[in-house]
Amino acid sequence: MQINAANQSMNPLASSDVGRPKGPPPPPPEGGVPPGMESAVSTLSSEEQNAVTDMLSSLSKDQQSSLKSQLDSLRDSASSMSEDELGAAFKDMLTSLTGNQSSTSSVNQVDTYA
């Protein structure tokens, strides 16, 4: 019995982390909210949440990389922001990346002077 106990004490990692996957967390599914932003996005209205999901699913690889770097730069100031502010900032980042405009934007207005 003492041999087993001594053997286990020499290798404490042998029994821990048995069921845990190794490495970084997997990326979110296409159109999914990045890890850590779920609670912030949940503060948005249901229409805004649907828009965020749509924008996320339409991002190109370059846009995904840009979003990741913007989120990384936001990490330092995120501790002083509320969930509402984080959700709005995330939506603004996506909107600027995808070029989505609101329904009142000048894109939808007709130039009558042309």
Side-chain angles (χ1 to χ4, degrees), residues 65-78 93:
S65 297
S66 179
L67 177 62
K68 182 181 180 330
S69 63
Q70 288 181 22
L71 287 173
D72 288 342
S73 67
L74 181 66
R75 184 173 293 153
D76 295 335
S77 61
M93 285 179 199

Side-chain angles (χ1 to χ4, degrees), residues 36-87:
M37 292 300 295
E38 297 91 350
S39 61
V41 171
S42 70
T43 64
L44 300 173
S45 70
S46 59
E47 287 179 354
E48 290 174 317
Q49 289 179 25
N50 290 336
V52 164
T53 303
D54 291 343
M55 288 186 275
L56 283 169
S57 63
S58 69
L59 292 178
S60 68
K61 294 291 182 190
D62 290 339
Q63 289 171 322
Q64 290 173 6
S65 297
S66 179
L67 177 62
K68 182 181 180 330
S69 63
Q70 288 181 22
L71 287 173
D72 288 342
S73 67
L74 181 66
R75 184 173 293 153
D76 295 335
S77 61
S79 61
S80 64
M81 297 173 74
S82 71
E83 292 293 323
D84 292 341
E85 292 171 326
L86 281 173

Side-chain angles (χ1 to χ4, degrees), residues 8-30:
Q8 287 179 354
S9 66
M10 290 183 65
N11 192 0
L13 297 177
S15 62
S16 64
D17 297 334
V18 174
R20 286 177 77 173
K22 303 290 185 225
E30 191 170 315

